[in-house]
Amino acid sequence: LVAAALAVALAGAAHAGDLGGSGGSASLKPPRARRGLEPDAALKLGQAHGLAARRVESNPSCRALFTELGASGEDKLAEAIYMQAPPEVVERRCRGGAAAAINPGTALTWVCPAFSSLKVQRAALTLIHEALHSAGMPERPQTPGARSSAEINDLVRDRCGL
């Protein structure tokens, strides 16, 4: 069911021109989702992942967010593994309306319940935000002196045009 939802979302995004690029581009690689991802979340993930990959690939200031961390944004998005957040993660990490959560430096991204209700552009921003954590960007309050979640979102919005 998840694979079918992703296929539908990717086909729709490609038809709408959201994926951009040509054969072999990072934006054409589907997101890696594990079983258990709710169908609405899988659909949103497929749509948002294509948009996020296209922005990182085509926008130099967006791509630079990753190169400044010594990483490739295209690779971080392609390596990400998306799973539905289990109850214990929802309780600890998805509170306050968080749409996704990751442990910095890892590829596993927990998809929170709020993700499904985001508009595609905001969901793409969320995927880039989490990919930046995968590349090593810290976040306050876990890391004093780092940017807050809202500041990271503002940075992605400004530099990636989201």
Side-chain angles (χ1 to χ4, degrees):
L1 191 56
V2 169
L6 282 171
V8 169
L10 290 170
H15 185 279
D18 285 341
L19 294 179
S22 57
S25 88
S27 60
L28 294 178
K29 294 178 184 171
R32 297 186 328 164
R34 295 290 189 239
R35 270 185 276 174
L37 196 60
E38 294 175 2
D40 288 347
L43 278 170
K44 186 67 55 134
L45 177 62
Q47 295 164 344
H49 193 271
L51 178 57
R54 190 186 80 180
R55 292 296 169 98
V56 168
E57 183 178 60
S58 67
N59 186 325
S61 66
C62 187
R63 188 171 41 255
L65 289 171
F66 292 91
T67 57
E68 291 164 5
L69 295 168
S72 161
E74 292 96 332
D75 289 348
K76 289 300 175 185
L77 285 168
E79 294 166 1
I81 300 168
Y82 301 96
M83 292 184 67
Q84 194 69 43
E88 62 275 10
V89 172
V90 170
E91 185 177 311
R92 282 186 333 210
R93 308 283 307 277
C94 299
R95 61 187 179 271
I102 191 171
N103 291 324
T106 71
L108 178 60
T109 300
W110 297 112
V111 177
C112 297
F115 186 81
S116 298
S117 64
L118 298 177
K119 293 185 178 186
V120 173
Q121 193 166 341
R122 178 63 170 90
L125 183 149
T126 298
L127 296 182
I128 293 171
H129 176 129
E130 299 305 330
L132 286 167
H133 290 317
S134 177
M137 182 177 279
E139 184 173 301
R140 190 175 69 234
Q142 295 88 348
T143 304
R147 291 178 175 96
S148 69
S149 180
E151 290 168 334
I152 295 170
N153 286 343
D154 288 344
L155 185 66
V156 172
R157 188 176 297 107
D158 293 344
R159 304 244 326 242
C160 300
L162 293 168

